[in-house]
Amino acid sequence: MTHIGKYSFSKLFRPLCVSSRRTEQADIFSAMFSQQKKPSSNLAAFREHFAKSKHIVVLTGAGVSAESGVPTFRGAGGLWRKWNAPELASPLAFAENPSLVWEFYHYRREVMLSKEPNKGHKAIAECEKRLKKQGRRVVVITQNIDELHKRAGSENIIELHGSLFRVRCGKCGDVTVNKDSPICPALKGKGAPDPSAEDARIPVDQLPKCKKAGCGGLLRPDVVWFGEGLDPVVLQNADKELNECDLCLVVGTSSVVYPAAMFAPTVAERGVPVAEFNTEATPATSGFGFHFKGPAGENLPGALARHKSEPK
């Protein structure tokens, strides 16, 4: 297992969870960054690091997609009907009430089909395309499952938590891309987020089913649910990029969901410049070299624009 500084990514191979271990998290960050100074908001200084970087990793979370109008289901008022995401996004919830869980994900899929990438997504994609011609690498490691980075034009994407537009069969394990709207006839018009909406109570035999010959098993969204571990191959790929990067951007993430919460702090620990672009400070902010407060759609275009040293 790869080690960075005195921290090993083996510690990050734990089930996905919102950090209820706030004290543990605070202690880890405090130990890693006890000697760090207050992050800089000097864009010109950041741009000098950007101009010299050959391998950039951009870590993104729900905040960047929130600017496209995507619900986060996190924090005050972040409910679907009367539930928050952890209550529905779990193997237990799906086993107990697959109809309700599919209503929730059907709603999210339909919402995403009406949203478009914002200036933040586009700035990252444009930067990747431009720097590729210079022999430089930009990789997005995202916690988001909405595929907005892909739609914006990014190609080097590691989806830590899967995708809303892939499904996995619970019987044969087959994973396929699925952008049908609705995903099955029984879900048409269902999934209203209003707290007064009644559960559809769709029979299991009418929920999305595997189309592989001879199977017909019940499909589930190909996403990582709370209580599940991340795909080791996906983590291995992320590990490789994080170890090789010479600049890291943290965009729109609350730094409270493991293992992604520790990615940037661990990179910063080995002396790599880390710049956070967020609307507010996070538990990890004090350990980063840069912090730019505000919407990513406002700050990223200028931060990632062509530098004067780049060839035209």
Side-chain angles (χ1 to χ4, degrees):
M1 187 63 60
T2 302
H3 288 70
I4 297 180
K6 62 179 179 179
Y7 298 94
S8 167
F9 271 113
S10 63
K11 292 183 178 181
L12 305 182
F13 280 72
R14 62 177 77 184
L16 175 65
C17 61
V18 177
S19 178
S20 58
R21 305 179 304 282
R22 299 276 181 175
T23 302
E24 175 191 350
Q25 182 187 56
D27 289 345
I28 292 173
F29 287 149
S30 177
M32 293 176 74
F33 301 129
S34 58
Q35 305 301 317
Q36 295 293 325
K37 299 179 180 179
K38 183 179 179 181
S40 169
S41 59
N42 186 327
L43 183 60
F46 166 78
R47 294 277 290 163
E48 290 306 307
H49 287 290
F50 172 73
K52 294 181 290 185
S53 63
K54 302 294 184 183
H55 191 136
I56 302 170
V57 166
V58 185
L59 300 169
T60 70
V64 69
S65 291
E67 293 178 41
S68 290
V70 178
T72 63
F73 303 106
R74 184 80 48 82
L79 301 177
W80 178 81
R81 295 182 185 168
K82 61 182 180 181
W83 293 277
N84 58 34
E87 293 176 298
L88 296 176
S90 76
L92 179 61
F94 191 67
E96 292 183 344
N97 196 337
S99 173
L100 182 64
V101 173
W102 259 121
E103 275 199 86
F104 174 56
Y105 279 96
H106 169 67
Y107 167 74
R108 297 181 71 177
R109 284 165 57 97
E110 295 298 303
V111 166
M112 282 315 310
L113 291 173
S114 71
K115 304 302 180 184
E116 296 294 334
N118 61 55
K119 292 180 180 179
H121 296 109
K122 293 176 182 177
I124 296 168
E126 191 282 329
C127 180
E128 178 189 331
K129 182 178 180 180
R130 190 181 77 245
L131 297 193
K132 182 179 180 180
K133 296 176 182 177
Q134 303 170 28
R136 301 162 68 188
R137 182 170 175 79
V138 176
V139 180
V140 174
I141 300 178
T142 186
Q143 299 173 75
N144 299 335
I145 60 176
D146 51 42
E147 294 196 359
L148 285 177
H149 283 298
K150 187 178 297 184
R151 287 169 56 189
S154 291
E155 296 180 355
N156 300 327
I157 307 170
I158 296 175
E159 295 171 323
L160 292 174
H161 300 161
S163 169
L164 277 173
F165 298 103
R166 291 196 305 268
V167 290
R168 183 164 81 243
C169 179
K171 183 178 179 181
C172 73
D174 192 44
V175 176
T176 57
V177 173
N178 185 305
K179 297 185 179 181
D180 295 344
S181 175
I183 190 169
C184 70
L187 280 166
K188 184 176 182 179
K190 307 299 183 183
D194 193 312
S196 64
E198 294 186 6
D199 297 350
R201 302 184 184 278
I202 301 170
V204 172
D205 61 3
Q206 295 180 32
L207 291 173
K209 291 298 181 68
C210 181
K211 297 178 181 178
K212 193 172 181 179
C215 183
L218 179 63
L219 295 176
R220 57 162 280 182
D222 186 37
V223 298
V224 180
W225 279 334
F226 291 90
E228 295 182 327
L230 273 64
D231 184 333
V233 174
V234 172
L235 273 173
Q236 202 169 45
N237 292 337
D239 186 1
K240 180 178 183 295
E241 301 293 343
L242 290 161
N243 275 289
E244 295 178 357
C245 74
D246 54 11
L247 179 64
C248 180
L249 278 62
V250 181
V251 183
T253 176
S254 58
S255 294
V256 297
V257 177
Y258 283 91
M262 290 303 298
F263 285 175
T266 310
V267 170
E269 169 72 357
R270 68 178 175 90
V272 173
V274 176
E276 183 180 49
F277 294 79
N278 218 339
T279 55
E280 57 186 17
T282 71
T285 299
S286 62
F288 299 150
F290 298 91
H291 175 77
F292 299 101
K293 186 175 182 179
E298 293 181 8
N299 290 331
L300 279 181
L304 300 181
R306 185 184 300 274
H307 190 269
K308 61 183 179 182
S309 63
E310 292 182 43
K312 294 184 178 179

